[in-house]
Amino acid sequence: MTPDEAVAAAPVAAAPRRRAAGDPVKTLLHRHRALCEQAVDPLEIAAGLEARGITDRTAARFRHRDVFSLAEELYARTPRGHEPAEPAAARPRDARALRGIGLALLPGAAALAAAAAALPYAGALAVAATVAALARPSATGRAPRGRGSLAVHLAAAAAAGWAVHRHGTPLGVALALAAAPGHLAAAAFAARARRRLAASRALEDFAASARPLLLAGAAAQTAAAAGAAALAGAPLAAAVPLAVLLFLARLLLCHGAPWPPVAAALAVAAVPAAPAAPAAAAGLLALALPVLARASAHTRT
């Protein structure tokens, strides 16, 4: 090789190293390839990155203004062997929604029927129906599973069972009746949060818009629980905080929150003291505000 040829070849050999160093997103793409390949849209990637500790400030180091912008580039640069699957038809989704509402109505219907028939174990049946409602999948398609689910269900049974033992069957009926509006409030929260996530351009913006949605859902469930207590003839002070606590417990678990704090809050509600259930509900709401304001809590399954 002549000296001129050697000089001409040197920059070509060094070029790939310069491009790799000047392309920080490429390293991130390799590190999170599975997430990027399985995502159905950039929002899934943004939520997954947030769950792995990448914030808008971190995204700036990758030359992006926020995680959403970074996720869009990752999604665009991820090779795919096929086009994303077409969304499910509206009719099957409507059928699933109707089926979900029907299942949500079952606990209240069963509790009312047992109380009307004056069955000797109507209160226990109402508690069982209320606790079973915690296992229904939410609008996200998720439901509590595994050993954590068992711990939560046992704690919920203890809290509701003790309350019904103290205040009678009408309280159990009220809790069961509150399951249906709780299902609707949770579905509305999930749908609205998903729309806010799609419209957001920064994680902080989404968190700021998601918290009022959660507070509105909790307020709606509070009103529904008060109506259910009035219909069943149960004391408001006992029925409302417990119904809100069960609503928040199911909402947290179905959105992927860790189960130990949820089980602990339910266990606190089982303490035989009047302030226990309101304190547990307030504590779980304080936990839910930051957890459910994360984008990663609203990914599809």
Side-chain angles (χ1 to χ4, degrees):
M1 178 182 292
T2 67
D4 291 339
E5 290 172 339
V7 171
V12 175
R17 287 193 294 272
R18 285 200 303 270
R19 283 197 299 270
D23 186 7
V25 177
K26 186 175 182 180
T27 302
L28 195 67
L29 179 61
H30 284 295
R31 190 179 303 160
H32 302 287
R33 179 169 294 277
L35 168 67
C36 297
E37 289 177 344
Q38 295 169 11
V40 298
D41 56 34
L43 291 179
E44 298 288 347
I45 298 177
L49 293 177
E50 184 214 29
R52 298 176 188 193
I54 295 178
T55 65
D56 290 333
R57 183 173 300 177
T58 310
R61 298 206 299 266
F62 295 94
R63 302 177 182 174
H64 281 272
R65 65 184 181 275
D66 52 46
V67 173
F68 291 88
S69 174
L70 176 60
E72 287 170 353
E73 180 176 347
L74 290 172
Y75 184 79
R77 293 177 59 175
T78 300
R80 290 177 172 80
H82 55 82
E83 292 298 318
E86 291 294 326
R91 186 170 298 175
R93 284 202 304 268
D94 293 343
R96 287 195 296 271
L98 290 174
R99 185 165 58 250
I101 294 174
L103 290 173
L105 291 170
L106 282 179
L112 276 175
L119 295 180
Y121 299 106
L125 178 61
V127 170
T130 301
V131 174
L134 293 175
R136 292 195 326 275
S138 71
T140 64
R142 287 185 277 201
R145 296 182 179 90
R147 294 181 179 178
S149 172
L150 177 60
V152 169
H153 281 74
L154 289 175
W162 174 248
V164 171
H165 174 73
R166 292 178 63 198
H167 300 284
T169 298
L171 178 58
V173 174
L175 294 177
L177 287 173
H183 172 83
L184 294 176
F189 167 73
R192 291 174 180 172
R194 185 75 188 179
R195 287 197 294 270
R196 295 289 177 88
L197 180 58
S200 297
R201 297 308 309 169
L203 296 176
E204 291 83 358
D205 291 343
F206 171 71
S209 64
R211 293 187 192 102
L213 294 178
L214 175 59
L215 292 174
Q221 179 64 0
T222 299
L231 180 64
L236 288 176
V240 172
L242 197 50
V244 173
L245 177 64
L246 293 170
F247 164 74
L248 292 171
R250 180 171 174 270
L251 194 62
L252 279 165
L253 292 177
C254 289
H255 282 269
W259 65 266
V262 178
L266 290 165
V268 168
V271 172
L284 207 55
L285 180 59
L287 171 68
L289 282 171
V291 170
L292 297 180
R294 292 172 59 88
S296 52
H298 303 279
T299 56
R300 300 184 183 98
T301 55

